Amino acid sequence: MRQRVSMTINGTNYEHEVEPRLLLVHYIREQAGLTGTHVGCDTSNCGACTIEMDGHSVKACTVFAVQANGSQLLTIEGLAQGTQLHPLQQAFWDEHGLQCGYCTPGMIMAARQLLARNPDPTEKEIRMGIEGNLCRCTGYHNIVKAIQAAAKVMGEGAERKAPATAPSARRD
Amino acid sequence: MIPAAFDYVAPRSLPEAVADLVKHGSEAKVLAGGHSLIPLMKLRLSTPSFLVDIGRIQDLSYIREADSHIALGALTTHHEIEFSELVKARLPLLQQAAAQIGDAQVRNRGTIGGAAAHADPNGDFPTCLLALDAELIAVGPRGERSIKAQDFFVDTFTSALEPAEILREIRIPRPPSASSGTYLKFSRRSQDWAIVAVAAQVSLREGRVERVAIGLTGMGPRPLRAAAAERALTGKAVAPDALREASAQAADGTQPPEDLNGSPEYRRHLAAVLTRRALEAITGSK
Amino acid sequence: MAVSQMIGASIKRREDPQLVTGSGRFVDDLPQNAVLHLHVVRSSEPHARILAIDTIRAKEADGVVAIFTGKELREEFQAPLPVTVTFVPEKAYPEQYPIATDKVHYVGEPVALVVALSRAAAQDAAERIEVRYQALPAVTDVEKAIQKDAPVIHESLGSNLSYDVKRAGGDIEAAFKEAEVTISQRLQQQRLIPIAIETRGVVADYKPFANSLTLWSSTQIPHFVKVWLAVILGIPESQVRVIAPDVGGGFGSKIRVFPEEVLTALASRRLGRPVKWIEDREENMRATHHGRSQIWDVEIAAKRDGTVLGLRLTQWLDLGAYCSQFGTFMSLGLLVAPGPYRLAAIDGRLVGVFTNRTPTDAYRGAGRPEATYVIERVMDLVAQETGMDPADVRRRNLVTGAEQPYTSLFGFTFDSGDYVAGLERALQVAGYDDLRRRQSEARKQGRYLGIGLASYLEICGLGPAAPTQANTGVSLWGMGVVRLHFTGKATAITGSSPHGQGHETTFAQVVSAVLGIPVADVDVVHGDTGIGPMGMNTYGSRSTALDASAVHISATRVREKARKIAAHLLEAAEDDVVYEDGKAFVKGSPAKSVTIQELAMAAFQTNRLPAGMEGGLEATTFFDPTNFVWPFGTHVAVVEVDPETGKVSIERYVALDDCGTRINPMVVDGQIHGGIAQGIGQALFEEGVYGEDGQLRTGTLVDYLVPSAADLPFFQLEETITPSPVNPLGAKGIGEAGTIASTAALMNAVVDALQPFGVKDVPMPASPAKLWQLMHRNGGRKG
């Protein structure tokens, strides 16, 4: 039995009839046409599908679209303002934090959550903060460097919107 | 990796959810955070034809301090527990366990009620609840009941919940002030399930161990208490030898599994090492 | 930055703005109208006869367009999947077709296809297909597979032995006669699953009335895929176009012509509509080839002073269920087993065996990590046996700068480099002597530090054409086109097909440096067989040495033609005209110059050209170098092993690499970082495990342990730079060096840490459980 879902992705409202079994990542890619969110593993290990749902990073391959009904989503496509890259995107570029680029959108979204909760993380905290995102190209060396660089830039007066700790849980 | 088709409801209240479960019987499953269920459904190892999503029920996500216990709503996420100042101050064991589950994204979705109901013997929360003598409050067609953690975890992936019961709240007795705990987890990679983990809570009085609880993860078909070690330590003065002797008995009576990550022998050894390290960390005695 | 300094400049990658914003175009991201979805039904059995395939219920399922079994498709294949010579021309092997008909040989082998309106519908219908098997006994162990009573996987071959051949150089008898020390050791290379984070995927669009096929594939080898699709499906090669769009990592796992490329194309041809197949991860771990899976038996002849005289080597190679396209490439390992060392004799034996497991093929390094692992473990075994310091054993045996160009006992001549200087530099940077002191102090406190060295020498840059054709069956070279447009902007077309290596940036740097135009004015085109001549694709750290060199030569030829045009326009003698920074002028008169933009325009105004000159400003180069290139270096790993749990923590990692000229040092460093991580993955975490029942027990990323950021340290990189004389750039290769060195360095460190327990070798991966058992099997510490 199909269900009507509506959600806001990067500020745009989407509404569709979907099968309950439709995974959120497939909704985002196929119904909303936003293909920057990737699928890498199917078992919620690799993090390539990481997006933000109501301010929390989630693996969109392990959420049903119906569970996101009414939610506010942010995907990699929503980070840049026009051609102005988000500091994390800029830092990944500057620090050579990507090679094939397949894991990159999820990695950046995970890093964004990390910095929202911990604006000045240590190397170890960065490594633990992205432990749910696998990269096979970079050895993570330049990813960690990029997150350090972005933290510095964002700490130097760039806006910081997300609260440092979790808001009370979203239930609708 | 697409799950088999199913029907879906998202009731707004617990009674509605229970009614849905009663109506659909064994075909139905409860969906909370989904981080245990959805991967199994994608692999088509689990093919429920009906999902009752309890994620939209109000007031199931909270952490409150009552006179005798700390209450956690069943839908409280691992992340909320990890970042709770109250949990950190009163139940450091639970906070540390929360912080080591999966990864940040998993912790944002996973719920303590879901983790308990899933009853994974390698899960972190079940062991903590066992060590902390938690009570689990379930709501079902015959109303509400309380189940002690020691009775709740029955077998691998099997809890004491009836088919149409849903967890509403988890109550953890307030530890006395001279009590502290820790959760030590051993795994190959940081995001992995534990090979073995130890949840230890120790209450001291005048330099003696008044009460000790040691929970073991990965040592059998369900979370276990290291009863022999607990007995050996209770009433003893805190001293390195005493901790060592007690820890050496941590795996007594267990029959840990063999898998790619280790033999039963290795697991028994790890249980002893982690128990000793946990007790040393809590008591500061080394 | 002046454009003339572009070679050696760490400029940011032009690929990245697309990729960091989610605008990349991987196969599954391509916009497709009315595409059908293919699901491949795969064997659940490791070894069985197919008795029947019942598709009736599946055909009735919602959204199903067509179902095909192997028998229904068999007559459409005009040739089997390709198998190359790759070092073992003597091998026996079965023909492999893209889909099974009568028998299955490994879990994951295709047995039927479902094409449906959606992926979900295809998967639902696939569950309704009933394949009846008659199970046959399976064999998953190389040594058991060649026993007399072992079940035979391919009856036509009579046994599971593909080959058992000798490869020898030098006088091994003399070496063992002279030996004061002999050591025997079995060294294991566990089975690895490559895990590119993007799984494979294919979109095929066959146009029936044009008899033409366009196929997008997540592949490293679009040019090979094009040729073989034409051959297997009988479509004229001119009508087949293969495009590798953004490709999410390869590491060798996308190096062959895969069954699914043929099957997706075939489904599209059968149905006259575009068809898409996207691999699941679970599927990827069974259907995409695996790597390594070898055993090396080693006998060492050495002297008390550490001189290694000779080796008897047997490489047991588990081919899996078929011989994959480059399935025996790993035998190169035996031919380069001397590494950077002076070694007088090798008596080698290569044995290839079929088992009921996923076929094996190239995985990052392919043969060279294995060779490095063997010789570097040999060096440490000799050190342990003689009581020498491992660094001294290496010093004793390394080829010195003065001996270059040195010819190894298998006839390879190294190109350039001072391997001893590399070792010394790495030791100095790591603070080796101090590390040894700390290790000794720590042992007194019951802490176990280990220090591991690996000095590697890598053969790569495959070409040259003649020896690669002789040894691999494929004539390999580099290809580069440089084309100037009317307005002076350039397009470079390369035969390489990158998947993360950054060629769009580095190759543009090459053109920029030669023509003196900004990098932004150079577009680099790759991975599309419909544009430009044939190329030899990307693998084996070959692209910079060969394809960037070809681009360099083409750019130089374009520049020379531009200079001729300039001489004509300036009415000067050709020899008097110089070209610098994008301008040509008469020597001594730079003020009166013509720019490359003016020269490009003139090239298309043929009336302005000298008599007899062709219009346009374009050159195509097929570059065949005089030799392979030989990157080298020394890596130093420092680990600590927890004696209570067996857990290894990496305290420090120093890598010194010499890859010749570095076009973009930032990109080079990135390649090294990733390579090191992958090698560490093999050393500590990864293993593809099969049960005796032939089922893969590590079939998801829950069980197959790819390291995360939290499991790895920062890496400290150092360099020496010795340009290669065999190509105009002086570039060697760097795509695999990190992996080649790091597994050996890490494992040497682990074994070194465990020396007090009398441990001489640790089978990989060095899991905590295994190390704990090794430390405590005989009652713990010995010394």
Side-chain angles (χ1 to χ4, degrees):
Chain A
M1 194 193 323
R2 293 170 85 84
Q3 306 254 338
R4 185 141 208 96
V5 295
S6 128
M7 62 193 85
T8 304
I9 311 178
N10 306 330
T12 302
N13 193 57
Y14 295 84
E15 215 173 312
H16 290 94
E17 295 262 325
V18 301
E19 273 194 285
R21 64 167 157 171
L22 182 69
L23 296 166
L24 182 57
V25 68
H26 291 144
Y27 181 83
I28 292 167
R29 290 175 54 81
E30 289 154 23
Q31 314 285 318
L34 298 166
T35 55
T37 303
H38 296 142
V39 177
C41 75
D42 304 310
T43 48
S44 79
N45 291 89
C46 84
C49 63
T50 301
I51 62 156
E52 267 181 35
M53 180 166 150
D54 299 314
H56 294 291
S57 62
V58 302
K59 293 181 173 176
C61 79
T62 311
V63 179
F64 291 118
V66 287
Q67 291 179 284
N69 187 19
S71 288
Q72 299 275 336
L73 308 190
L74 179 69
T75 72
I76 189 69
E77 288 93 341
L79 287 196
Q81 305 288 322
T83 55
Q84 178 71 40
L85 296 180
H86 182 278
L88 272 162
Q89 293 172 316
Q90 184 69 44
F92 270 65
W93 188 16
D94 292 346
E95 301 291 330
H96 189 30
L98 62 148
Q99 290 179 27
C100 82
Y102 193 80
C103 76
T104 309
M107 195 66 83
I108 288 175
M109 295 308 290
R112 195 185 123 91
Q113 171 91 95
L114 164 70
L115 294 184
R117 289 175 179 171
N118 183 357
D120 186 21
T122 62
E123 180 204 334
K124 181 158 191 226
E125 287 168 340
I126 292 174
R127 290 183 180 278
M128 296 303 284
I130 57 169
E131 68 186 325
N133 293 70
L134 298 178
C135 168
R136 201 61 157 158
C137 293
T138 65
Y140 308 99
H141 184 105
N142 285 342
I143 290 177
V144 177
K145 294 264 185 211
I147 296 170
Q148 287 175 328
K152 194 149 176 279
V153 169
M154 291 163 78
E156 280 164 5
E159 55 179 345
R160 212 175 298 129
K161 287 182 193 154
T165 55
S168 62
R170 173 202 70 84
R171 293 297 161 233
D172 221 320
Chain B
M1 293 267 220
I2 295 165
F6 56 84
D7 279 328
Y8 168 92
V9 287
R12 299 287 163 152
S13 71
L14 271 175
E16 275 180 68
V18 169
D20 285 325
L21 288 174
V22 168
K23 192 168 142 201
H24 294 277
S26 62
E27 296 296 294
K29 272 203 184 290
V30 176
L31 176 68
H35 273 54
S36 302
L37 182 59
I38 295 174
L40 293 175
M41 290 176 66
K42 287 167 71 180
L43 295 165
R44 299 204 178 190
L45 297 172
S46 176
T47 54
S49 59
F50 199 85
L51 281 193
V52 179
D53 179 0
I54 59 170
R56 290 174 194 279
I57 298 174
Q58 300 289 328
D59 303 325
L60 282 182
S61 174
Y62 52 81
I63 302 169
R64 292 180 200 133
E65 191 163 24
D67 287 344
S68 62
H69 64 267
I70 291 154
L72 298 107
L75 289 183
T76 310
T77 63
H78 307 340
H79 165 70
E80 286 159 345
I81 294 168
E82 176 189 0
F83 277 72
S84 159
E85 290 300 328
L86 174 66
V87 174
K88 196 173 173 185
R90 294 277 191 274
L91 304 167
L93 155 57
L94 195 68
Q95 190 271 339
Q96 290 169 26
Q100 295 179 71
I101 298 173
D103 52 54
Q105 295 96 310
V106 168
R107 297 194 288 273
N108 281 338
R109 291 291 296 167
T111 65
I112 189 166
H118 190 55
D120 187 331
N122 293 309
D124 299 301
F125 275 158
T127 308
C128 297
L129 300 184
L130 185 69
L132 292 168
D133 292 324
E135 277 182 60
L136 298 97
I137 311 300
V139 179
R142 287 186 297 276
E144 191 168 297
R145 67 175 176 136
S146 165
I147 310 164
K148 286 186 169 20
Q150 68 201 62
D151 302 321
F152 185 84
F153 301 105
V154 176
D155 203 344
T156 304
F157 300 128
T158 306
S159 77
L161 287 176
E162 299 289 333
E165 276 186 322
I166 299 171
L167 278 181
R168 183 177 71 74
E169 184 175 280
I170 287 154
R171 290 179 189 160
I172 299 173
R174 279 180 60 167
S177 54
S179 177
S180 190
T182 193
Y183 189 73
L184 289 190
K185 177 170 173 175
F186 188 82
S187 58
R188 288 184 63 185
R189 295 176 307 174
S190 73
Q191 64 158 266
D192 289 334
W193 297 90
I195 299 174
V196 174
V198 166
Q201 183 78 23
V202 180
S203 303
L204 298 177
R205 179 182 290 226
E206 293 160 5
R208 286 187 177 276
V209 175
E210 184 177 46
R211 193 183 163 280
V212 56
I214 299 165
L216 303 171
T217 305
M219 292 295 289
R222 57 196 168 86
L224 300 173
R225 288 279 285 264
E230 290 177 1
R231 272 196 307 274
L233 198 58
T234 305
K236 293 269 164 61
V238 173
D241 284 349
L243 300 188
R244 249 197 309 276
E245 273 168 39
S247 304
Q249 302 170 54
D252 284 9
T254 64
Q255 289 184 307
E258 162 100 48
D259 64 19
L260 293 175
N261 291 316
S263 61
E265 183 197 13
Y266 179 60
R267 282 192 158 81
R268 276 193 284 269
H269 167 77
L270 278 182
V273 169
L274 296 176
T275 299
R276 194 199 75 234
R277 289 180 180 181
L279 294 173
E280 287 171 352
I282 295 167
T283 61
S285 168
K286 194 174 176 179
Chain C
M1 197 178 297
V3 286
S4 56
Q5 294 165 6
M6 267 300 136
I7 290 182
S10 287
I11 62 166
K12 291 195 286 179
R13 298 200 322 169
R14 61 199 323 183
E15 290 90 340
D16 294 357
Q18 294 283 318
L19 295 169
V20 298
T21 53
S23 320
R25 282 289 173 267
F26 299 89
V27 168
D28 198 21
D29 302 340
L30 299 168
Q32 285 288 339
N33 288 323
V35 69
L36 300 174
H37 297 264
L38 169 66
H39 180 90
V40 181
V41 178
R42 297 180 182 279
S43 171
S44 58
E45 302 298 313
H47 194 195
R49 273 182 222 297
I50 300 173
L51 299 178
I53 303 179
D54 181 353
T55 61
I56 291 170
R57 281 184 63 242
K59 278 179 175 152
E60 292 164 352
D62 285 348
V64 169
V65 175
I67 290 174
F68 305 109
T69 63
K71 284 208 166 112
E72 291 162 350
L73 298 175
R74 189 55 173 261
E75 65 194 34
E76 302 219 30
F77 304 119
Q78 303 195 2
L81 293 166
V83 176
T84 58
V85 170
T86 48
F87 306 104
V88 192
E90 307 96 327
K91 63 190 168 231
Y93 59 89
E95 288 186 337
Q96 183 188 3
Y97 285 88
I99 185 165
T101 50
D102 303 318
K103 231 185 119 178
V104 290
H105 310 84
Y106 67 98
V107 171
E109 184 166 7
V111 295
L113 307 181
V114 180
V115 184
L117 297 176
S118 71
R119 254 183 116 174
Q123 207 176 320
D124 289 348
E127 297 229 315
R128 300 169 71 157
I129 291 179
E130 281 173 37
V131 185
R132 280 206 300 126
Y133 294 105
Q134 178 197 350
L136 300 169
V139 56
T140 58
D141 179 284
V142 163
E143 287 175 303
K144 286 183 188 157
I146 54 171
Q147 286 171 4
K148 288 260 178 298
D149 56 347
V152 175
I153 299 168
H154 300 285
E155 287 92 344
S156 61
L157 303 182
S159 83
N160 297 320
L161 184 69
S162 173
Y163 56 87
D164 184 348
V165 295
K166 289 276 195 191
R167 296 286 185 272
D171 186 345
I172 196 69
E173 299 306 329
F176 273 86
K177 214 163 158 189
E178 191 187 342
E180 296 158 359
V181 175
T182 59
I183 306 163
S184 294
Q185 182 65 50
R186 168 162 282 203
L187 299 170
Q188 312 257 12
Q189 289 281 341
Q190 77 270 39
R191 184 172 269 257
L192 298 177
I193 307 182
I195 314 289
I197 304 296
E198 183 205 23
T199 58
R200 290 181 299 125
V202 180
V203 174
D205 188 4
Y206 178 81
K207 297 272 188 275
F209 294 101
N211 188 26
S212 75
L213 172 69
T214 305
L215 184 128
W216 292 262
S217 180
S218 181
T219 179
Q220 299 174 223
I221 54 155
H223 296 278
F224 292 163
V225 172
K226 179 195 71 166
V227 171
W228 285 100
L229 283 176
V231 169
I232 295 171
L233 295 176
I235 304 171
E237 191 185 342
S238 55
Q239 301 299 93
V240 181
R241 179 178 179 185
V242 175
I243 301 168
D246 285 334
V247 173
F251 318 110
S253 75
K254 298 172 182 174
I255 200 181
R256 71 170 295 197
V257 177
F258 273 99
E260 295 82 2
E261 287 164 327
V262 181
L263 294 171
T264 310
L266 193 49
S268 177
R269 181 163 78 179
R270 278 287 188 106
L271 300 168
R273 292 176 62 178
V275 175
K276 182 194 259 195
W277 169 76
I278 300 294
E279 192 179 47
D280 286 337
R281 176 60 66 190
E282 198 198 6
E283 192 179 17
N284 168 269
M285 297 186 76
R286 292 161 178 82
T288 294
H289 65 71
H290 294 176
R292 309 272 149 79
S293 206
Q294 298 160 36
I295 300 167
W296 289 68
D297 284 322
V298 183
E299 279 180 69
I300 309 165
K303 295 208 291 189
R304 285 259 155 234
D305 68 359
T307 306
V308 179
L309 299 165
L311 300 174
R312 288 201 182 98
L313 296 175
T314 301
Q315 180 202 37
W316 303 85
L317 178 61
D318 167 18
L319 294 162
Y322 290 96
C323 186
S324 182
Q325 186 168 0
F326 300 98
T328 55
F329 188 91
M330 280 52 72
S331 299
L332 169 63
L334 192 128
L335 304 180
V336 295
Y341 302 103
R342 240 180 276 109
L343 197 68
I346 283 184
D347 179 28
R349 178 180 167 210
L350 300 171
V351 188
V353 179
F354 295 106
T355 61
N356 291 112
R357 306 198 276 189
T358 295
T360 56
D361 201 314
Y363 175 63
R364 202 169 191 170
R368 292 149 295 165
E370 298 93 313
T372 302
Y373 189 73
V374 165
I375 197 67
E376 289 306 303
R377 291 292 302 119
V378 163
M379 292 294 147
D380 272 29
L381 285 164
V382 169
Q384 202 170 1
E385 189 68 28
T386 58
M388 290 175 69
D389 187 293
D392 288 333
V393 176
R394 287 170 175 79
R395 288 184 179 109
R396 169 78 58 197
N397 291 286
L398 278 172
V399 169
T400 64
E403 292 170 278
Q404 294 279 35
Y406 181 88
T407 299
S408 79
L409 60 94
F410 282 116
F412 292 113
T413 300
F414 308 156
D415 59 347
S416 64
D418 186 337
Y419 310 147
V420 181
L423 168 70
E424 298 298 350
R425 178 81 189 282
L427 295 176
Q428 182 201 346
V429 170
Y432 184 72
D433 295 338
D434 188 49
L435 285 171
R436 285 285 173 212
R437 270 193 293 278
R438 275 184 48 211
Q439 177 183 43
S440 158
E441 287 302 308
R443 277 183 190 165
K444 288 176 198 157
Q445 300 157 17
R447 290 178 53 213
Y448 299 93
L449 290 185
I451 304 154
L453 306 180
S455 293
Y456 73 96
L457 175 67
E458 174 191 359
I459 182 174
C460 65
L462 321 175
T468 50
Q469 176 142 47
N471 287 300
T472 70
V474 189
S475 169
L476 297 171
W477 29 261
M479 192 287 292
V481 175
V482 174
R483 174 183 298 156
L484 254 63
H485 301 281
F486 188 73
T487 57
K489 311 292 183 195
T491 294
I493 307 169
T494 167
S496 75
S497 190
H499 31 281
Q501 294 91 339
H503 297 172
E504 289 176 30
T505 304
T506 54
F507 288 24
Q509 287 178 258
V510 170
V511 174
S512 163
V514 175
L515 293 179
I517 59 175
V519 166
D521 285 359
V522 186
D523 187 35
V524 176
V525 176
H526 56 76
D528 185 343
T529 67
I531 303 173
M534 187 174 187
M536 283 292 132
N537 312 295
T538 290
Y539 41 83
S541 307
R542 65 188 305 280
S543 298
T544 307
L546 294 169
D547 293 291
S549 289
V551 165
H552 185 274
I553 294 165
S554 286
T556 306
R557 287 167 57 200
V558 162
R559 189 184 66 197
E560 286 312 298
K561 184 173 177 183
R563 211 169 55 84
K564 284 192 174 74
I565 298 171
H568 182 68
L569 297 178
L570 293 166
E571 298 176 344
E574 207 184 299
D575 290 348
D576 293 341
V577 174
V578 291
Y579 185 102
E580 269 177 32
D581 286 340
K583 290 192 286 271
F585 51 87
V586 178
K587 220 177 287 173
S589 313
K592 192 176 165 230
S593 64
V594 256
T595 65
I596 187 68
Q597 288 79 15
E598 291 168 304
L599 292 167
M601 197 179 289
F604 292 102
Q605 296 163 334
T606 51
N607 52 305
R608 298 178 66 198
L609 296 176
M613 183 183 274
E614 289 270 357
L617 208 43
E618 173 169 338
T620 299
T621 302
F622 286 76
F623 173 61
D624 184 6
T626 53
N627 190 359
F628 303 98
V629 288
W630 301 84
F632 65 93
T634 294
H635 289 203
V636 184
V638 184
V639 304
E640 179 165 355
V641 179
D642 181 339
E644 285 194 314
T645 64
K647 186 146 182 167
V648 177
S649 41
I650 305 170
E651 192 179 285
R652 200 150 159 234
Y653 197 95
V654 175
L656 177 132
D657 295 279
D658 190 327
C659 60
T661 305
R662 297 176 173 216
I663 293 166
N664 185 323
M666 175 193 81
V667 168
V668 168
D669 286 353
Q671 290 293 311
I672 298 170
H673 295 148
I676 293 170
Q678 235 161 341
I680 292 174
Q682 176 174 12
L684 298 185
F685 299 108
E686 300 178 31
E687 184 172 23
V689 181
Y690 279 81
E692 286 194 5
D693 58 359
Q695 298 290 336
L696 181 63
R697 292 180 67 196
T698 53
T700 69
L701 290 183
V702 177
D703 304 304
Y704 188 85
L705 308 182
V706 173
S708 79
D711 307 304
L712 295 169
F714 278 134
F715 310 117
Q716 185 180 350
L717 306 191
E718 294 291 329
E719 66 190 28
T720 59
I721 294 180
T722 315
S724 174
V726 309
N727 64 61
L729 289 165
K732 300 190 176 183
I734 200 61
E736 298 158 296
T739 308
I740 287 168
S742 66
T743 305
L746 235 293
M747 290 310 295
N748 276 342
V750 168
V751 177
D752 186 52
L754 268 47
Q755 284 227 19
F757 298 89
V759 172
K760 290 197 157 68
D761 188 67
V762 175
M764 294 187 284
S767 70
K770 201 183 287 175
L771 294 192
W772 176 76
Q773 203 203 349
L774 284 170
M775 284 188 283
H776 298 286
R777 61 185 165 183
N778 302 324
R781 183 165 166 166
K782 308 279 179 281

